Amino acid sequence: MILLISDLHLQEERPDITRAFLDLLDGRARHARALYILGDFFEAWIGDDAMTPFQQQICQALRRLSDSGTAVYLMHGNRDFLIGQAFCDAAGCTLLSDPSVIELGGERVLLMHGDTLCTRDLGYMKMRRLLRNRLSLWVLTHLPLSMRRRLARKLRSESRAQTQMKATDIVDVTPEEVPRVMAAQGVLTLVHGHTHRPAIHKLVVDGQPARRIVLGDWDRRGWALQVDEQGFQLAPFEFT
Ligand code: MN
């Protein structure tokens, strides 16, 4: 059995989400062969050298899971793209590039965070190109901590303000972009997060029936995609 989750937005201010995640690690994830975390695992990440005690605690919990034999894979989201190799080494997880194609449930499956599918949000796409290249990443991770904290706060408040102003269909995926990307990668199943609109959408890729599975964000409840002999099951679960 394999589990896929995303958009937990782990933060000290939401102990209920943290608890639910730790419960998942001690429960269902223990029995999983692999756990895939498809981005926005943390609400914010300003560098592996700036881990808070809270983030250390999450790191150690992941480590216990990977030590117990469950492979843990982590993909960057738009909130935590500064997670680096040092964190992954400490947590015992493997950083997955976005996009990645893996073998899952007997087929080739495309995994993405999902932000790059929202191509109509031109402002965001421009900002992403600006921040997510090698040079910017190097500069960002070498800025003094105080400056990184200030920058992170600024980016978050701007993103909040803009999301409220943007039409709701801009912050969802571009419908034409999905089959284009899937055809280019030669897959009939795509799993992504980011949009906080959990669903399984049917579509046609290269004349064949295909599906786009959108993972849910963790807020009032959690979401996980479980892949086993029964197939792909996307389901919410209550926090206890
Ligand atoms: Mn996101």
Side-chain angles (χ1 to χ4, degrees), residues 38-234:
L38 300 187
D40 287 356
F41 179 44
F42 289 102
E43 170 73 359
W45 194 267
I46 58 169
D48 293 358
D49 56 338
M51 275 167 73
T52 63
F54 166 74
Q55 291 167 337
Q56 296 272 4
Q57 180 204 345
I58 301 296
C59 178
Q60 284 154 14
L62 272 184
R63 177 89 219 188
R64 284 194 296 276
L65 179 71
S66 57
D67 283 348
S68 81
T70 299
V72 181
Y73 298 94
L74 182 68
M75 185 179 277
H76 286 145
N78 49 302
R79 301 301 197 111
D80 53 11
F81 65 92
L82 288 181
I83 289 178
Q85 198 52 52
F87 172 81
C88 290
D89 288 346
C93 65
T94 304
L95 202 56
L96 271 187
S97 49
D98 181 4
S100 281
V101 175
I102 62 161
E103 180 79 23
L104 190 60
E107 62 171 305
R108 282 163 48 80
V109 173
L110 175 60
L111 306 180
M112 304 176 82
H113 175 56
D115 53 332
T116 54
L117 296 168
C118 305
T119 53
R120 284 171 299 185
D121 192 347
L122 297 175
Y124 172 73
M125 293 301 281
K126 198 170 151 200
M127 163 89 93
R128 191 182 192 281
R129 275 193 299 275
L130 202 69
L131 291 176
R132 305 277 290 267
N133 63 70
R134 239 168 229 279
L135 177 65
S136 304
L137 291 174
W138 188 89
V139 171
L140 282 173
T141 48
H142 288 79
L143 286 173
L145 266 184
S146 57
M147 213 182 275
R148 278 186 261 163
R149 287 202 185 95
R150 227 176 314 145
L151 196 61
R153 261 199 305 276
K154 191 163 178 279
L155 286 174
R156 279 168 68 185
S157 66
E158 272 174 15
S159 136
R160 242 193 312 270
Q162 285 180 1
T163 307
Q164 278 163 10
M165 271 168 22
K166 282 171 194 161
T168 49
D169 64 328
I170 316 191
V171 286
D172 200 356
V173 301
T174 308
E176 315 82 69
E177 187 66 3
V178 174
R180 193 191 68 74
V181 169
M182 292 177 73
Q185 299 281 350
V187 298
L188 295 173
T189 299
L190 161 66
V191 180
H192 72 82
H194 180 66
T195 61
H196 300 191
R197 291 172 165 89
I200 300 186
H201 300 276
K202 293 197 165 112
L203 69 151
V204 174
V205 173
D206 276 343
Q208 295 183 75
R211 59 187 161 175
R212 173 169 71 95
I213 304 175
V214 188
L215 302 172
D217 59 306
W218 292 33
D219 187 8
R220 267 166 301 182
R221 49 192 185 163
W223 284 87
L225 172 66
Q226 182 168 325
V227 181
D228 55 28
E229 309 76 47
Q230 331 263 321
F232 289 65
Q233 301 156 79
L234 177 69

